[in-house]
Amino acid sequence: QKPSSSLEMVLFQLFDSIGPAHWNDSDTGEQHCNMKTVTNFKQRAVYVDKEDITLVTHGSIEKFSLLVDQISQWKGPVSFVIYLDSREAIKEFCSKLQHVTQDSESDFNQYVSIHALLEKHGGSLPYPNNMLRNIAQKNIESNYFLLMDVDFMPCPSGTYEHFKSHLKDDFFWTKLRNNTIFVLPAFERFAESNESTVTLDMVPQN
C-alpha cells in the first residue's frame, strides 16, 4: 500500500515501527500490545478558552460517519480520538478525513481536533474505551468537557450553546467550581422515528 498523503505516510511509518504483540510468561495468557499515540495532528480552527466546554469522544473507522453527524449537532469544540489497528484502517481514515476537510469552513474544520491511537496486535482484543477517553480528555484546552461516545447524539441541535449559556448561571457555575459531575439522560432513538425533540413526558419518572 502506497501512501496517498503526507499524513497517511506518517501514520504508516508509526504503525510499522510498532513492535509485534507478544504473550507474557505467566499462566494467564495475557496479550501485551505495543501502541503509539499521535495527538493534535488535525487541529480545530476556532479558539477555545478555559471557560469553554469541549465534547470528548472517540471511535473506530467503522463509526467515523457517526462523528460527522455528532459534530453537526454539537457545533462546538470537539476532541476526538480515532482507533487504528491496521494499515487498511489508516488508509480508509485518511481518505475519509480528506473528504470531510475539503471545505475550510465546514463544522469539522472549525471545531474538531483529532488524535490517534495506533495499536498492533496478533489477535482479537477488546476495544480500548478507557484509554481512548483518557487521550481525548487530556488533550483539551477548556476547563470543562462533556464525555460522550460517538454512538450518542446531542439532542436537540444547539446543545453546546445551551450548556455554555449555563456557565453564566450562578448555581451552575458554583457546582462546576466544586467539581460537580453532571450526568445526562440517554435515550434510544429508533431508525423509523423522525422526532428530534426530547420532551419531559419522555423522561422516566422512576
Side-chain angles (χ1 to χ4, degrees), residues 10 39 98 102 116 120 123 126 131-132 134 154 164 188-189 192:
V10 171
T39 59
Q98 186 176 26
Q102 287 179 346
K120 186 182 291 185
M131 184 174 294
L132 292 164
N134 290 338
K164 193 171 181 181
E188 182 176 5
R189 182 178 177 182
E192 62 270 19

Side-chain angles (χ1 to χ4, degrees), residues 180-192:
T180 301
I181 295 176
F182 292 88
V183 180
L184 304 183
F187 303 90
E188 182 176 5
R189 182 178 177 182
F190 296 98
E192 62 270 19

Side-chain angles (χ1 to χ4, degrees), residues 28-44:
T28 63
E30 181 183 356
Q31 190 177 28
H32 292 270
C33 296
N34 291 326
M35 56 185 66
K36 291 191 177 181
T37 302
V38 189
T39 59
N40 289 305
F41 60 82
K42 187 274 176 196
Q43 296 185 330
R44 69 179 66 88

Side-chain angles (χ1 to χ4, degrees), residues 148-204:
M148 182 180 292
D149 287 351
V150 76
D151 309 85
F152 291 82
M153 188 66 61
C155 182
S157 180
T159 302
Y160 162 71
E161 290 295 342
H162 177 72
F163 282 152
K164 193 171 181 181
S165 67
H166 277 297
L167 290 177
K168 301 176 183 178
D169 181 89
D170 289 340
F171 173 79
F172 198 74
W173 179 261
T174 301
K175 290 291 187 181
L176 287 174
R177 286 297 187 186
N178 290 330
N179 297 320
T180 301
I181 295 176
F182 292 88
V183 180
L184 304 183
F187 303 90
E188 182 176 5
R189 182 178 177 182
F190 296 98
E192 62 270 19
S193 173
N194 292 320
E195 184 60 58
S196 61
T197 302
V198 176
T199 57
L200 187 60
D201 62 299
M202 299 169 65
V203 179

Side-chain angles (χ1 to χ4, degrees), residues 5-176:
S5 66
S6 57
L7 173 61
E8 190 174 300
M9 181 183 298
V10 171
L11 293 177
F12 273 170
Q13 290 174 345
L14 287 172
F15 185 79
D16 292 341
S17 69
I18 298 174
H22 63 275
W23 298 91
N24 65 10
D25 296 328
S26 70
D27 294 330
T28 63
E30 181 183 356
Q31 190 177 28
H32 292 270
C33 296
N34 291 326
M35 56 185 66
K36 291 191 177 181
T37 302
V38 189
T39 59
N40 289 305
F41 60 82
K42 187 274 176 196
Q43 296 185 330
R44 69 179 66 88
V46 298
Y47 171 75
V48 178
D49 61 35
K50 292 295 184 181
E51 304 306 324
D52 214 327
I53 304 174
T54 302
L55 178 65
V56 170
T57 188
H58 59 88
S60 60
I61 189 60
E62 292 81 10
K63 295 185 176 181
F64 190 77
S65 61
L66 296 176
L67 171 68
V68 178
D69 294 336
Q70 195 178 63
I71 293 165
S72 68
Q73 287 287 100
W74 177 246
K75 292 189 180 299
V78 177
S79 177
F80 172 72
V81 184
I82 181 75
Y83 176 65
L84 301 169
D85 62 351
S86 68
R87 272 177 148 258
E88 291 75 17
I90 291 173
K91 193 169 189 66
E92 185 177 354
F93 165 68
C94 291
S95 176
K96 290 184 175 182
L97 181 63
Q98 186 176 26
H99 176 72
V100 298
T101 55
Q102 287 179 346
D103 180 4
S104 61
E105 300 300 318
S106 68
D107 289 343
F108 205 100
N109 276 320
Q110 292 298 305
Y111 300 126
V112 185
S113 288
I114 303 183
H115 329 285
L117 177 64
L118 307 175
E119 184 173 37
K120 186 182 291 185
H121 54 79
S124 178
L125 287 176
Y127 178 80
N129 283 288
N130 290 335
M131 184 174 294
L132 292 164
R133 289 169 184 156
N134 290 338
I135 294 170
Q137 189 271 322
K138 288 179 180 178
N139 288 280
I140 64 174
E141 296 85 21
S142 62
N143 288 332
Y144 312 111
F145 64 91
L146 173 62
L147 178 62
M148 182 180 292
D149 287 351
V150 76
D151 309 85
F152 291 82
M153 188 66 61
C155 182
S157 180
T159 302
Y160 162 71
E161 290 295 342
H162 177 72
F163 282 152
K164 193 171 181 181
S165 67
H166 277 297
L167 290 177
K168 301 176 183 178
D169 181 89
D170 289 340
F171 173 79
F172 198 74
W173 179 261
T174 301
K175 290 291 187 181
L176 287 174

